């Protein structure tokens, strides 16, 4: 990730995450619960993936890391000559880091900055998706304030359990890409 983009991500997240926590009425105890939950995934004391406090901590810790590790995948999506209109489904989209990575990759490559990419997210956590919508709106507003092109549209979010048989009926049919960006672990360092 370019240094200027890393600063942009940090600036937007620093302000937006605090604003979101305040809007959700999360006090210090709730934030501590989310922090503890962030590190206890899979353990008995884990508060649950649908805890709003956990979405806040994902937004501060995992979100920037996932952006960085998803940028190489985003570059491949942008460069794919088979992509018709840029309609992408991110399964397990969490706080929307892949949406940000796709936008940053488009900014890196001016020939893609004017593309119209539509991203649909599914996740098992409603608070994660609420955080996605909130954070993306703040990031998009900051891009526009800086007169940077916005190539990505958060076209929809859907909260669904992974085993829900109706999940397949809830996503667009004419997709160019289906990604599970949370599985990407290699960065572009």
């Amino acid at each position: 990730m370019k240094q200027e983009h890393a600063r942009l991500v940090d600036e937007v997240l620093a302000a937006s995450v605090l604003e979101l926590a305040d809007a959700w009425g999360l006090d210090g105890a709730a934030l501590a619960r989310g922090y503890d939950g962030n590190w206890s995934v899979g353990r008995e004391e884990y508060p649950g993936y649908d805890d709003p406090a956990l979405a806040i901590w994902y937004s501060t810790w995992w979100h920037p890391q996932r952006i960085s590790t998803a940028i190489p995948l985003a570059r491949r999506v942008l460069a794919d000559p088979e992509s018709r209109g840029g309609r992408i489904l991110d399964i397990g989209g969490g706080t929307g880091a892949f949406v940000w990575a796709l936008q940053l990759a488009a900014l890196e490559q001016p020939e893609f900055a004017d593309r119209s990419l539509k991203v649909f997210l599914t996740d098992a956590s409603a608070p994660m998706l609420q955080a996605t919508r909130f954070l993306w709106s703040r990031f998009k507003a900051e891009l526009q304030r800086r007169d940077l092109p916005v190539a990505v549209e958060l076209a929809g979010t859907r909260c669904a359990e992974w085993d829900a048989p109706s999940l397949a009926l809830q996503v667009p049919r004419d997709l160019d890409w289906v990604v599970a960006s949370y599985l990407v672990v290699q960065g572009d360092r």
Side-chain angles (χ1 to χ4, degrees), residues 8 10 13 16 19 21 24 29 37 46 51 67 70 75 92 96 99 102 108-109 115 122 130 135 140 144 166 183-184:
L8 172 62
D10 288 346
L13 284 177
S16 300
E19 187 180 349
W24 281 348
Y46 179 61
D51 187 329
I67 292 170
R75 289 180 186 131
V99 179
L102 195 58
E108 289 177 357
Q109 302 169 11
R115 274 188 83 180
T122 63
Q130 289 169 343
L135 296 173
K140 183 177 165 183
Q144 292 168 333
S166 63
L183 297 174
V184 177

Side-chain angles (χ1 to χ4, degrees), residues 1 5-6 8-17 20 38-39 49 54-71 90 92-104 121 123 127-140 154 181-182 184 189:
M1 179 181 336
H5 294 158
L8 172 62
V9 167
D10 288 346
E11 290 170 15
V12 172
L13 284 177
S16 300
V17 168
L20 182 58
N38 194 32
W39 298 110
Y49 186 61
L54 190 62
I56 294 295
W57 283 106
Y58 265 61
S59 299
T60 59
W61 176 250
W62 291 112
H63 190 85
Q65 287 187 349
R66 293 294 183 209
I67 292 170
S68 180
T69 58
I71 283 181
D90 186 2
T95 54
F98 181 72
V99 179
W100 289 47
L102 195 58
Q103 175 62 48
L104 292 173
L121 268 74
D123 200 90
M128 291 288 181
L129 293 174
Q130 289 169 343
T132 295
R133 291 186 297 272
F134 184 86
L135 296 173
W136 177 250
S137 72
R138 296 309 190 265
F139 186 54
K140 183 177 165 183
L154 181 58
S181 61
Y182 70 95
V184 177
R189 302 184 219 308

